[in-house]
Amino acid sequence: MLIFKTETQILFIMDSQISTFKIKAYGWQEFAHKYNPHILPRSASKRLKEWIRRNKKLHNELKALGWNEKNRLLTPIQVKAIVHYLGEPGW
């Protein structure tokens, strides 16, 4: 897999397929559901929060970027941090 990063998107080339993921502001449940589309958005939200809690580097970086667990919106820079540590949703 090859990964190319730009300021607003991340390109992934995997098995001759190119996928782009747009770095932008997302609602928390909307973004969490992208990582877990097979479960309800509320459950996806809880699961993503648990992944963040367990990943201390990600958790600390998000806190430094102004995130807390009650936020309903993610800024583009917070989205970029999550994607950096967890990978693009859907892979």
Side-chain angles (χ1 to χ4, degrees):
M1 173 173 53
L2 297 172
I3 301 173
F4 301 95
K5 296 180 181 182
T6 67
E7 200 58 33
T8 59
Q9 65 183 1
I10 299 174
L11 267 59
F12 291 83
I13 301 175
M14 182 177 239
D15 299 329
S16 301
Q17 296 178 342
I18 298 175
S19 174
T20 60
F21 176 75
K22 181 118 172 111
I23 300 295
K24 64 176 192 154
Y26 286 93
W28 177 259
Q29 281 191 353
E30 172 193 12
F31 187 68
H33 201 243
K34 289 183 178 298
Y35 277 99
N36 295 284
H38 57 284
I39 60 178
L40 294 172
R42 185 173 178 165
S43 297
S45 177
K46 289 179 182 180
R47 185 169 293 174
L48 182 58
K49 282 182 185 175
E50 185 59 33
W51 290 350
I52 290 170
R53 280 188 209 115
R54 289 180 182 193
N55 187 323
K56 296 298 180 193
K57 287 182 181 180
L58 173 56
H59 190 259
N60 290 337
E61 186 169 334
L62 285 175
K63 288 181 99 174
L65 294 171
W67 177 83
N68 71 56
E69 293 189 17
K70 295 183 181 186
N71 285 60
R72 298 175 105 183
L73 295 173
L74 289 165
T75 66
I77 194 78
Q78 292 167 344
V79 168
K80 195 172 186 178
I82 294 169
V83 170
H84 172 77
Y85 284 96
L86 300 182
E88 179 185 7
W91 284 87

